């Protein structure tokens, strides 16, 4: 199926919709998930028009993982957890992305679970906390 340039993450990349940014470089952007599974749940997305994660070119795929590494460490510092887990789903938003989620057990990566109810203020506080451990 053709890439939909009006999906939510494409609009975030174009600056048409705000996000709680964690970090950014030439190829990749990361920001808070608006309906998180856990506090400090972060999305990492490539700056290229690709729907499925494993259709990404080698450059975007490898850069995205290297970009995600310090963010995962910041999540582990920012929120008490056993480690930072990651997941690729993409059934809701058709722009490639990686979920970074603090986990203590496998069920913490169960995306059929009810999401947390967070206020914009809580999202911002978590964003600032992650960023403070990143730099
Ligand atoms: P998936 O496509 O991997 O199934 O899930 C997409 C994820 O994007 C969900 O966890 C959802 O909460 C998140 N999401 C959907 N719309 C927005 C949005 O407008 N802003 C942000 N920050 N996250 C979103």
């Amino acid at each position: 199926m053709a890439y939909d340039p009006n999906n939510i993450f494409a609009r975030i990349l174009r600056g048409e919709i705000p996000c709680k940014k964690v970090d950014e470089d030439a190829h990749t952007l990361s920001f808070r998930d608006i309906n998180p599974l856990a506090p400090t749940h972060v999305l990492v997305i490539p700056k290229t028009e690709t729907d499925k994660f494993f259709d990404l070119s080698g450059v975007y795929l490898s850069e995205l993982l290297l970009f995600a590494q310090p963010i995962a460490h910041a999540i582990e510092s920012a929120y008490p957890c056993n480690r930072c887990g990651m997941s690729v789903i993409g059934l809701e938003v058709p722009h490639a992305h990686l979920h970074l989620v603090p986990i203590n057990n496998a069920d913490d990566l169960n995306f059929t679970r009810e999401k947390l109810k967070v206020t914009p203020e809580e999202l911002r506080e978590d964003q600032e906390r992650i960023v403070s451990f990143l730099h």
Side-chain angles (χ1 to χ4, degrees):
M1 210 164 74
Y3 178 82
D4 171 13
N6 286 317
N7 74 73
I8 295 280
F9 293 171
R11 299 188 65 199
I12 286 175
L13 280 174
R14 290 197 295 270
E16 295 168 6
I17 294 178
C19 70
K20 299 279 189 291
K21 185 167 90 173
V22 171
D23 202 6
E24 179 173 20
D25 72 7
H27 290 105
T28 318
L29 172 70
S30 63
F31 51 89
R32 285 303 317 282
D33 192 298
I34 206 169
N35 291 124
L37 271 181
T40 72
H41 177 172
V42 167
L43 298 168
V44 186
I45 75 172
K47 295 182 177 181
T48 185
E49 295 192 340
T50 301
D51 171 1
K52 295 195 263 179
F53 190 83
F54 290 108
D55 284 345
L56 286 170
S57 70
V59 170
Y60 279 100
L61 195 58
S62 52
E63 297 238 349
L64 188 143
L65 271 181
L66 290 170
F67 180 90
Q69 186 177 35
I71 299 171
H73 287 146
I75 288 171
E76 287 170 350
S77 301
Y79 187 72
C81 62
N82 181 284
R83 63 195 58 211
C84 181
M86 70 178 194
S87 188
V88 171
I89 303 180
L91 293 172
E92 182 185 330
V93 180
H95 181 107
H97 56 276
L98 185 67
H99 294 264
L100 298 177
V101 184
I103 60 169
N104 290 302
N105 57 63
D107 197 46
D108 291 340
L109 275 175
N110 176 359
F111 279 76
T112 64
R113 271 184 24 215
E114 196 177 345
K115 302 287 191 72
L116 296 182
K117 300 205 178 350
V118 288
T119 64
E121 180 60 20
E122 286 168 329
L123 273 180
R124 191 183 55 74
E125 283 170 12
D126 276 342
Q127 168 209 20
E128 288 177 358
R129 190 163 161 74
I130 300 165
V131 171
S132 75
F133 282 102
L134 196 53
H135 300 294

